[in-house]
Amino acid sequence: MAMDPQAGTGTTLVGRETELEQLDAALDALDDGRPAYITLEGEPGIGKTRLLGELRARAEQRRHVVLAGAAAEFESEIPFSVWVDALDAYVVSQNFAEHESWDEELGAELAQVFPSLKGSNGSAAAIPDERYRAHRAVSRLLCLIADERPLVLVLDDLHWSDGASLELIAALARREPTAPVLLALGMRPGQAAQRLGSALTGERIHRLELGHLSEAQARRLLEGVDARDVAAIYSHGGGNPFYLEQLGRAGEGTDLAAMLGNGAGEAGVPAAVAGAIAGELESLSAESRALLDGAAVAGEPFEPGLAAAIAELSEQAGLAALDDLLVLDLVRTTDVPRKFIFRHPLVRRAVYQSVRGGWRLAAHARAADALATRGAEAAERAHHVEQSASQGDEEAVEILLEAGRNTVSRAPAAAARWFDAALRLLPSADTDRQVSVRVALASALRSVGELDRCRATLLEAIDLLPPESVVRRIELTTLCAAVEHWQGRHDDAHRRLQRAWDELPDRTAPSAAALQIELAVDGLYALDFEQVLTMGRGALESARTIGDSPLIAVAASALSLGEAAAGDIEAAREHRDQALEHVDPLTDRELAPRREALYYLGGAANYHECYDDAIAHVERGIAIARANGEGRLLVPMMLVKPYSFEMQGRMAEAVELCETAVEATRLSPNPHYHFWSLFELGFAHYFSGDLEAAIVAGEDSARVGGRLLGGTMPSAGGGPGWLLAVARFEAGDVERARKEISALGSDNLEHKIPVERCFDWETLALAELAVGEIDTAEEYAGRSEKNASRLGLQVPAAIAARTRAEILLTRGEPAEAARLAGESAKSAASVGARLQAAFSLALRGRALVAAGERDDAVSALREAETETGECGSLRVRDEMRRELRKLGARAEVRGPATADDSGLSSLTKRELEIAELITDRMTNPQIAEKLFLSKKTIETHIRNVFHKLGVSSRVEVARVVEHERRERA
């Protein structure tokens, strides 16, 4: 009897009623305009694919767009293979380029994923650290597909999926599409589920674990089989639908008692099941068995011509054999012409494992040759080359290296595998390539966060270098030290660099200056300013002697950053100017080998209160990094900008940038950068007024970094401890905040960079004022004023003045407090620190209220409300509105809604109308048609609605509207 696994009477799936109800519930959510996620997990043969097939059929009945793909065992290192299988043909068949939401950047990013778009969409950034850009592009694509009708996307057999595909799935699970998209995933328990990890948790993800059928359900499945035989089959099949079906198939006309045995076969498959499959294979003709063997080597889905070439059959003989295999139901057709699959993956596995070892090696070699003849890319051939090549095979080495180079930007884990394979084939005497391939391997390992292997690989490369390779040795030594810093092994990194300096034979060469620069920067991790300045000055002197302009630029910029961090602002400005004299005339191509100069300049400019310059420097550095495909400094350069944005009051940009950095560091798990990104995200939320989000980010940062104090370079004295303390203090948890602050070290703040100390002394003073310790607060204010005077910078001066004004207000001197707060605002505004100026204006308004100056207070509060609102600092803005209400003054409504100001009341009449239609589950085209507006106009209105309501999806809009409806009712 021939039956599908899990097939029951008619179209009913046996024993899966609960799962079917959950599939229907997901489709109902989709009909309501909400995205949904389902995972089906279970052992081989349990019925995952059958259930996913039922989901597809039910979705098609609802007239949804249904697309599906499956991972294949031999494509586990081909980037995005399961996504290409599901979407590539569909994408090329649609005219998405005519859609108003399409743009050139989207097309270029999608071309990194889908082969059908290559060559027609320009080029996109190809940096492993920016893989999130492709993920966002695919999310936008899914929304385009779901623009007219909901999309059901089924991705099966993910236990064989490549790492790039899994990364993309995880990214979509964390940042759900803003369109009705159902992502249904099928996988075996184990590696795939583990790699997806926390992304597949939470209420939005419905995880279905498929269990075994009962004996009663097995009887329904094996309808027509004798009851005694069913009992025997069930005792050996264990309730696994495929095993039951296979034994039922093999049991026709045989002695079941003789056939069934105990024990387990290959990979835990019952011996009886393995024997039943073997029995089917024994009945095949020589040509049919050869084609089946060739198909097993080719992988699934297989193309008959390739399978025939592997089997050394003519095309005609191959097609005849294919007909026999189809009749016997060993292979089956697919929706794609000339693509076929085995009846079940376990059948393919049984066939592959049954062929002789020598034949298998030769078969993989024939597969690689046949694919080359067909014009297949190196990544498609690499698996077969890896399986068949021997050491010293130069052609095989080149194919593997090409596969690595071609995949490293999209799938660095796959690239690492191919580089590893190439190393195994390289002759040991080929030292140059042994080194260069290890460096490439280390770079790929860095991109996927395997820092231990990255470091070990770099050390191997260093050991292979001949004594005369001084420049190369220093280059790899600094790379290795950087990895050790990322691992938190700062002492190891320092010793490595110092040892390299001590052993350097010639300290007058450019390599010596480069090493001194690295040692100067190394000193910032521990705030060893003597090391920073000594090495920085030595590097600059050496670079000038050599006359190398790019090297002078790096040395001067690193020294400027070090001096700014040490608090020597005058010297730092002088060296920053000198660095710019060399940086500005250089072309991007000339500066590319020394692009770290732009990173150092960006950090120095922040401390010099030149925020626009800081942003411009790192944006140029990022552009150079993208043009050269080098992402090592990408995240640090990104994280220079949040400080500038926070000073300038560009809080929405600061939060978005930090979220992007967190996304990037989650993909390339560098603990140091991930810790840093979360820390910066926490402060961005803090200044935006979202204290709960700030605390969550701070706790995540502490968990990732394993510490509360000692943070980023160059801000080595920071850390999530201070973030958590200030956020909890602002949230009203004063005592806990004071305890946490006291546990972070001396209140003299020697562990903090001088430019940043005034911020913390302000927090310390406010905490003391909150418990009535005015004298202690006075001490902190005095330290802040002294520090600000020494630095000669406007922002520290503004904060010191604001701290003093808070004390004056507490002491009952509101008029003087208002005057000083006004001076503070002017100081901050003079250098473009708009948000700090706004905070000082808020204090001035409160002081004027206390002084009884109502008209001046209303004016000051309204100005502070406007400024904090436009900056995006909503908590302080709402505080100003409350103060204005107390005075009987109308507050201006602007920006995203808060608890004090209904979100819907901030919408225009048209925006409210569109929000109501979204809640009624209307799509963008339907809304456009109803309101006689273009879809582009509707999209613009929806973006405004999202911004004003502070939401990120249509579902959240509907929740706000429905809540308002309930309140009105």
Side-chain angles (χ1 to χ4, degrees), residues 294-351:
V297 169
E300 290 189 283
F302 67 88
E303 193 271 322
L306 177 61
I310 295 171
E312 298 182 289
L313 295 174
S314 68
E315 183 177 356
Q316 184 177 1
L319 292 177
L322 177 64
D323 286 338
D324 291 341
L325 297 176
L326 289 168
V327 169
L328 294 170
D329 195 33
L330 280 165
V331 301
R332 295 173 177 175
T333 60
T334 68
D335 294 336
V336 181
R338 297 190 65 81
K339 294 290 185 181
F340 297 84
I341 58 173
F342 283 77
R343 182 176 72 236
H344 192 279
L346 290 173
V347 176
R348 192 208 67 81
R349 170 56 61 179
V351 173

Side-chain angles (χ1 to χ4, degrees), residues 821-846:
E823 291 298 319
S824 170
K826 290 179 182 178
S827 294
S830 69
V831 290
R834 186 181 183 187
L835 185 59
Q836 292 301 321
F839 290 163
S840 297
L841 289 172
L843 175 58
R844 179 172 180 269
R846 290 193 291 108

Side-chain angles (χ1 to χ4, degrees), residues 88 92 102 104 107-124 377:
D88 195 51
V92 78
W102 186 275
E104 185 177 334
E109 289 297 338
L110 290 176
Q112 298 290 322
V113 179
F114 300 109
S116 64
L117 297 177
K118 288 183 179 178
S120 61
N121 290 280
S123 59
E377 292 187 357

Side-chain angles (χ1 to χ4, degrees), residues 716-735:
W722 277 97
L723 165 64
L724 290 168
V726 297
R728 286 175 177 141
F729 173 75
E730 295 292 348
D733 197 348
V734 176
E735 284 303 324

Side-chain angles (χ1 to χ4, degrees), residues 553-576:
V554 179
S557 58
L559 180 56
S560 176
L561 175 60
E563 289 167 335
D568 191 348
I569 302 302
E570 184 175 349
R573 283 179 174 149
E574 178 183 346
H575 287 120
R576 177 169 171 259

